[in-house]
Amino acid sequence: MDLPQPEPYDLIGVGIGPFNLSLAALADRADGVDALFLDARPEFRWHPGMLVDGARMQVPFLADLVSLVDPTNPWSFLNYLRHQERLLPFYFAERFQLPRREYEHYCRWAADRLPNCRFGRPVAALHWDAEEELFRVVTGGPAAEEHRARNVVLGVGTEPVHPEAFAPLRAHPAVWHSAEYLHRRDTLAGARDITVVGSGQSGAEVFLDLLRLRAGDGTRLRWLTRTRALAPMEYSKLGLEQFTPDYTRYFHGLPADTRDALVPAQWQLHKAASAETLAEIHDHLYERTVGRPLDADPVEILPGTAVTEAAAGPCGGLELHCRHVDSGRRHLVRTDAVVLATGYRAVRPALLDPVADLVDWDEHGRYRVDLDHRVALRPGVTGGLYVQNAELHTHGVGTPDLGLGAHRAAVILNAVAGKPLHPLPLRTAWTTFAPPASVPPVLPRPQEGHVRAAAAPR
């Protein structure tokens, strides 16, 4: 006799990074929403290869899993500090931005205790059951199982970007992405010439760490980026209002081609290094050259330089063919090792293959995503498929920002529940991004003589 199937979940989250962990934390206290979150890894980890000593978050501590939506939630960072008996030390530290290592430890604290999070559960496939109008989420591995859900939220994260110029060196042991930095830093011990490519926060942190570790040993350190200037991240108070739900709504309403042009133009909002890290690099270089010429140390910083081709050198080492962006002049860089701090991008996970023909992809093969972060599906598919951090092209530069994580999770949870479990503010910015809905016509100003004539009595 077949046992009755358990009730389907209202929501299954695939992947447990900070964004789905935020959703899990908010769902934990949501009445009437039965949720489950699955991740292939044995435990929560967040960019473990970049937990460099001294690295700090680029968002304030209030950008935790829940506080900007529900500051009374027990999964807040302040409650974590209470459990760690660190409230007073944190108070005396007077730090608005956390050490990156502490943020990761906070997330692990929550992930280990949330009853709706399960690790060691790799999701192999997602199927749509048209008869039952449910998704079937199939996990692989030794504990293979199937779960049913009315809604699925993809929070599978992003993957490191390896530029096309470095494709011939994809498997070279001396070329790897900054995501692996701490795991592979020791392999640089024998290198006498090291090149860091990329001017974002990861590139700045790797370069600074190498400056500290290799000071005085004669190693040539090179920081190379095609960006024309090592400009800092935009961090003015009004500038940061582009990381509000108000701006997200405005951006979502723009034509697709306008959105696609805007994102790369806004690189200083989401791809630059912090002013503090850039200042530390300058301070380090300044202090180590006291009493010596500026070029006494073998250090090169080369902005506005694009790598057009990379290959193994005929006599060992690596050869980078470079082009100066402004002048067009080309030159060759010979180096022993390259760390690619070239960012991350969202990719379509293989688990979607069984339902790929049900997704209404845009002309570039990307998700069409509504304001509730729900992916457009073919007519007749009544289940909801949502994405987190895969909608940069529809929701703008705030997509990967942790400061909007709790708000997005609340938007998704409210949509799944069909009611406002978490009331959200209608206005969050002083700035008005869109023009007025209607502009009164500008009437021609009457000439002075006409005014006098009109004013004269009859």
Side-chain angles (χ1 to χ4, degrees):
M1 179 177 178
D2 293 335
L3 294 175
Q5 286 189 307
E7 281 294 306
Y9 289 97
D10 297 299
L11 165 66
I12 287 182
V14 180
I16 307 177
F19 293 134
N20 260 359
L21 188 59
S22 176
L23 183 55
L26 292 176
D28 181 53
R29 301 181 73 195
D31 292 335
V33 176
D34 193 13
L36 175 68
F37 294 81
L38 306 169
D39 195 286
R41 298 167 299 178
E43 61 181 356
F44 180 92
R45 299 304 303 271
W46 181 72
H47 296 300
M50 282 302 297
L51 298 180
V52 181
D53 288 343
R56 308 188 70 77
M57 302 294 291
Q58 291 181 281
V59 291
F61 74 90
L62 285 173
D64 63 10
L65 301 174
V66 294
S67 290
L68 289 176
V69 167
D70 179 11
T72 67
N73 193 291
W75 302 110
S76 70
F77 176 74
L78 289 179
N79 197 40
Y80 154 81
L81 289 177
R82 183 176 71 89
H83 277 263
Q84 300 290 308
E85 299 183 352
R86 288 172 61 87
L87 264 173
L88 280 176
F90 178 74
Y91 168 66
F92 293 127
E94 296 185 343
R95 290 177 172 178
F96 210 42
Q97 272 82 16
L98 306 176
R100 191 177 295 162
R101 186 175 288 114
E102 186 171 29
Y103 175 80
E104 201 247 6
H105 191 265
Y106 155 65
C107 288
R108 281 197 282 126
W109 168 82
D112 289 345
R113 289 162 178 78
L114 277 165
N116 55 15
C117 290
R118 298 183 191 174
F119 290 86
R121 303 291 201 282
V123 174
L126 179 65
H127 299 274
W128 172 247
D129 188 323
E131 184 177 342
E132 290 199 46
E133 295 188 323
L134 295 168
F135 288 108
R136 295 185 178 273
V137 181
V138 181
T139 65
E145 53 192 3
E146 181 179 281
H147 303 282
R148 301 180 304 149
R150 299 181 182 91
N151 300 277
V152 172
V153 181
L154 297 179
V156 295
T158 53
E159 293 187 359
V161 172
H162 290 77
E164 187 62 33
F166 288 89
L169 300 175
R170 189 67 175 85
H172 198 286
V175 180
W176 34 269
H177 196 272
S178 60
E180 304 175 80
Y181 179 66
L182 286 185
H183 309 316
R184 302 184 65 169
R185 184 173 61 183
D186 289 347
T187 67
L188 299 174
R192 307 308 297 168
D193 187 299
I194 303 171
T195 300
V196 179
V197 177
S199 60
Q201 184 66 14
S202 295
E205 288 176 357
V206 168
F207 188 65
L208 177 59
D209 190 62
L210 289 172
L211 282 174
R212 290 168 172 164
L213 291 175
R214 308 300 290 264
D217 72 355
T219 301
R220 178 169 294 278
L221 299 177
R222 184 182 299 101
W223 191 12
L224 187 153
T225 172
R226 65 182 176 182
T227 304
R228 284 184 166 88
L230 296 172
M233 183 83 77
E234 167 60 57
Y235 213 72
S236 65
K237 294 178 181 179
L238 286 176
L240 288 178
E241 290 199 338
Q242 291 180 84
F243 294 94
T244 60
D246 293 40
Y247 184 78
T248 298
R249 287 190 292 269
Y250 161 72
F251 184 90
H252 190 272
L254 294 172
D257 56 347
T258 302
R259 297 196 304 253
D260 287 344
L262 260 180
V263 170
Q266 295 173 321
W267 64 270
Q268 219 171 328
L269 289 170
H270 66 123
K271 285 189 173 183
S274 71
E276 292 77 12
T277 307
L278 294 175
E280 286 185 69
I281 291 172
H282 189 276
D283 290 347
H284 185 87
L285 293 172
Y286 183 87
E287 292 180 17
R288 68 190 258 178
T289 55
V290 171
R292 306 161 64 203
L294 290 183
D295 58 357
D297 276 354
V299 173
E300 294 180 69
I301 300 176
L302 303 171
T305 302
V307 178
T308 59
E309 183 183 345
C315 302
L318 306 165
E319 291 187 348
L320 310 183
H321 296 264
C322 301
R323 179 178 58 82
H324 188 251
V325 174
D326 290 336
S327 67
R329 292 180 59 182
R330 297 180 181 274
H331 63 277
L332 182 67
V333 168
R334 291 186 173 90
T335 188
D336 297 327
V338 174
V339 181
L340 295 171
T342 44
Y344 301 79
R345 71 162 62 99
V347 296
R348 191 174 94 186
L351 64 93
L352 276 186
D353 288 349
V355 296
D357 61 338
L358 301 180
V359 177
D360 183 19
W361 307 100
D362 72 7
E363 60 273 19
H364 301 291
R366 304 172 299 192
Y367 304 110
R368 300 184 192 273
V369 189
D370 70 11
L371 263 178
D372 289 345
H373 305 277
R374 182 169 175 162
V375 174
L377 302 175
R378 299 299 181 189
V381 181
T382 56
L385 178 65
Y386 297 83
V387 289
Q388 301 222 59
N389 199 13
E391 68 276 31
L392 181 66
H393 59 292
T394 58
H395 287 65
V397 294
T399 297
D401 191 75
L402 292 172
L404 279 173
H407 184 275
R408 175 172 50 200
V411 168
I412 293 173
L413 192 59
N414 288 349
V416 168
K419 57 184 178 181
L421 296 175
H422 293 283
L424 299 173
L426 295 177
R427 184 75 183 263
T428 57
W430 298 109
T431 307
T432 299
F433 298 102
S438 60
V439 180
V442 179
L443 300 176
R445 185 176 179 179
Q447 296 180 5
E448 186 178 351
H450 290 154
V451 173
R452 283 199 299 268
R458 296 191 177 189

